[in-house]
């Protein structure tokens, strides 16, 4: 468990949070620019000494102002990855990696050099000078270097923000592997919903230095009262289980928790029983009062409207729809909502136009 109660001010900005994050997996801090995400990370790292804070990481107290405890940053077993990796330019990639690794006593090393290189796909770069690496390669080396210090906590501050979308797509699978293969908890700052959907297990939504919501990723994304649900790329992330595969049409059939109908998606084959993370965006879901089977849309679920709420765009409304234990968000025009008589409790059909399989 990671506990961070922080109370501090920077002029007009005040941060007042009490975070309780799981001691494993990826916790994302999400919020607009200036909401206090980086300040939280800097307090966790001890780079900022909040006058009133209590920070405890898996049983180790890093700060407790009431008891006068403040562990200096270099005494905290943590790795910090920034937007742009600050590598030692006079050392090769190997030199950069070995620098952190040598500082850790052999018995305390959690990650081997080969393992870090393999995880980040950087074996072929080991003898290169850092000056001529691409942005994505630098970032992968920076992450490997942080891992080789065997941290008890990895802090990542928008590690993909400086990369273009192609490089970002290139690096995301490596971050997913870290998550699956290493037992190091990560606190990941981002204001990109797609990154959060792919990587996070736990989500904290910050606004003006306060926590608006905190909880497991799925249920937190479903909340219509949080600002993310009103954004253009709002959607839910669901853990689906593979039910079967149609090799003729190359369609994977997935079971959503408690739903009667399958979710079918064009995909490569996967074994029955495999668990996949899928994202269903609110803008890809429409509502109909009848099953409307003569349609090119593959996925149609019997749903009950659970909640109706406003969207950022006043011409739209946001709906949460229940299919068994699965909640789906939908964005439709206010006009259509009135025409269909959409109210909480209405039984209807949700049609899903597109599904992203994330992992
Ligand atoms: N060293 C500082 N001195 C004074 N004010 C600061 C300092 N660092 C941050 N702030 C202010 O604190 C507030 C929160 O900043 P912070 O960097 O934590 O936000 P953020 O959510 O990480 O934003 P972004 O997404 O833009 O990085 C902002 O209003 C910022 O101007």
């Amino acid at each position: 468990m990671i506990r961070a109660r922080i109370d501090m001010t920077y002029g007009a900005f005040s941060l007042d949070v009490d975070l309780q994050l799981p001691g494993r997996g990826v916790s994302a801090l999400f919020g607009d620019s200036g909401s206090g995400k980086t300040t939280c990370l800097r307090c966790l790292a001890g780079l900022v000494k909040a006058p009133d804070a209590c920070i405890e990481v898996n049983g180790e107290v890093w700060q407790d102002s009431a008891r006068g405890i403040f562990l200096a940053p270099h005494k905290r077993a943590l790795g910090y990855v920034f937007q742009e990796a600050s590598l030692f330019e006079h050392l090769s990639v190997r030199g950069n990696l070995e620098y952190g690794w040598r500082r850790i006593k052999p018995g305390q090393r959690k990650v081997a050099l080969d393992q870090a290189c393999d995880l980040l796909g950087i074996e072929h770069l080991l003898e290169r000078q850092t000056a001529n690496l691409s942005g994505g390669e630098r970032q992968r080396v920076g992450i490997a270097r942080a891992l080789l210090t065997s941290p008890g906590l990895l802090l990542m501050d928008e590690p993909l923000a400086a990369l273009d979308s192609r490089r970002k797509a290139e690096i995301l699978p490596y971050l997913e592997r870290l998550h699956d293969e290493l037992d190091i908890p990560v606190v990941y700052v981002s204001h990109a919903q797609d990154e959060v959907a792919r990587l996070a297990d736990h989500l904290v939504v910050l606004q003006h230095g306060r926590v608006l919501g905190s909880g497991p990723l799925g249920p937190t994304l479903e909340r219509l009262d949080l600002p993310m649900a009103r954004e253009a790329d709002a959607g839910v992330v669901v853990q689906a289980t593979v039910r079967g595969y149609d090799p003729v049409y190359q369609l994977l059939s997935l079971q959503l928790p408690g739903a009667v109908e399958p979710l079918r998606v064009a995909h490569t084959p996967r074994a029955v029983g495999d668990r996949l993370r899928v994202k269903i965006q609110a803008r890809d879901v429409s509502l109909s009062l009848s099953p409307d089977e003569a349609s090119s849309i593959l996925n149609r679920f019997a749903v009950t409207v659970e909640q109706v709420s406003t969207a950022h765009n006043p011409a739209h409304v946001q709906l949460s729809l229940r299919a068994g234990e699965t909640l789906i968000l939908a964005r439709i025009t206010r006009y259509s909502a009135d025409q269909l008589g959409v109210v909480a409790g209405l039984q209807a059909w949700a049609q899903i136009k597109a599904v992203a399989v994330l992992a």
Side-chain angles (χ1 to χ4, degrees), residues 10 13 31-40 158 189 191:
Y10 269 144
F13 174 79
D32 289 341
S33 183
S35 56
K37 307 179 295 292
T38 298
T39 307
C40 282
E158 307 220 31
V189 160
H191 56 233

Side-chain angles (χ1 to χ4, degrees), residues 77-93:
L78 62 85
Y80 207 136
V81 176
F82 299 90
Q83 267 187 29
E84 284 176 60
S86 52
L87 302 176
F88 298 121
E89 302 296 333
H90 62 290
L91 295 178
S92 64
V93 169

Side-chain angles (χ1 to χ4, degrees), residues 244-253 264-269 298:
Y245 188 70
D246 177 343
V248 177
Y249 289 108
Q250 303 185 349
L251 290 176
L252 201 55
S253 178
R264 283 176 297 168
V265 45
H267 201 271
T268 48
L298 273 184

Side-chain angles (χ1 to χ4, degrees), residues 30 63 88 226 247 265 268 305:
F30 181 90
Q63 180 172 0
F88 298 121
L226 294 178
V265 45
T268 48
V305 175

Side-chain angles (χ1 to χ4, degrees), residues 302-318:
V303 292
T304 307
V305 175
E306 201 147 287
Q307 243 186 305
V308 184
S309 144
T310 54
H312 269 166
N313 182 338
H316 289 148
V317 292
Q318 290 279 97

